[in-house]
C-alpha cells in the first residue's frame, strides 16, 4: 500500500495488475460528488472541512454555479483533481436548480414544443 493514500482518498486501480495507478487526495480544491443526504447527486469543489469532535465532520462544497452547501464527510466522494473530473459527469454537471429555475426551464421547453 502507498503511504501517501489516506482515509477518504479515491484510488484508481488497474484491474489487470491489481495495482494502484493514481489517487485523489481528499483536500480543498478537488472536485467531489455527493453520495448521500439532502444534497445527493450534486457535484462541486471542496472548499473546506470542519472537524467536530464527538459528532460528524462537515465538508463545505461549492458547485460550478456558485451555490455553496455543506454535508457530512461520509457523503463526499472525490472524483477529480482540481476542476478536472476523472469520470464523465451527468447532464447538468451535478448542479441543482432552484424551484423557480426548474419551473422556468420546463415552461421554456413547453413553449418551444408549441
Amino acid at each position: 500500500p502507498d503511504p501517501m493514500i489516506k482515509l477518504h482518498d479515491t484510488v484508481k486501480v488497474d484491474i489487470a495488475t491489481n495495482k494502484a495507478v493514481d489517487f485523489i487526495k481528499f483536500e480543498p480544491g478537488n472536485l467531489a460528488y455527493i453520495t448521500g443526504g439532502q444534497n445527493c447527486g450534486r457535484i462541486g469543489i471542496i472548499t473546506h472541512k470542519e472537524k467536530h469532535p464527538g459528532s460528524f465532520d462537515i465538508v463545505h462544497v461549492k458547485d460550478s454555479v456558485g451555490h455553496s452547501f455543506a454535508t457530512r464527510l461520509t457523503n463526499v466522494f472525490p472524483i477529480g483533481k482540481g476542476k478536472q473530473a476523472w469520470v464523465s459527469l451527468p447532464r447538468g454537471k451535478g448542479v441543482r436548480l432552484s424551484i423557480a429555475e426548474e419551473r422556468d426551464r420546463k415552461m421554456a421547453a413547453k413553449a418551444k414544443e408549441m
Side-chain angles (χ1 to χ4, degrees):
D2 190 338
M4 296 289 293
I5 300 172
K6 303 290 182 198
L7 185 65
H8 302 298
D9 291 350
T10 300
V11 180
K12 186 179 195 180
V13 178
D14 181 16
I15 296 175
T17 61
N18 206 21
K19 301 280 184 192
V21 177
D22 201 2
F23 64 95
I24 303 169
K25 300 289 287 175
F26 189 95
E27 59 189 16
N30 284 341
L31 195 63
Y33 178 79
I34 310 303
T35 60
Q38 189 69 29
N39 296 307
C40 186
R42 293 179 80 174
I43 297 173
I45 305 291
I46 300 170
T47 54
H48 70 280
K49 180 170 71 169
E50 296 176 2
K51 290 190 180 237
H52 297 278
S55 185
F56 297 102
D57 291 347
I58 303 296
V59 177
H60 293 266
V61 181
K62 189 174 201 173
D63 65 13
S64 61
V65 179
H67 299 135
S68 293
F69 55 95
T71 189
R72 292 180 179 176
L73 175 69
T74 55
N75 294 337
V76 181
F77 183 72
I79 60 168
K81 291 182 179 178
K83 293 184 178 185
Q84 186 62 38
W86 277 9
V87 295
S88 56
L89 299 179
R91 183 182 63 221
K93 306 288 187 231
V95 174
R96 177 173 290 161
L97 301 175
S98 70
I99 294 170
E101 291 170 334
E102 195 171 328
R103 180 199 64 215
D104 293 343
R105 180 179 283 177
K106 285 182 182 179
M107 290 177 71
K110 240 183 202 179
K112 200 175 195 180
E113 285 179 0
M114 294 179 176

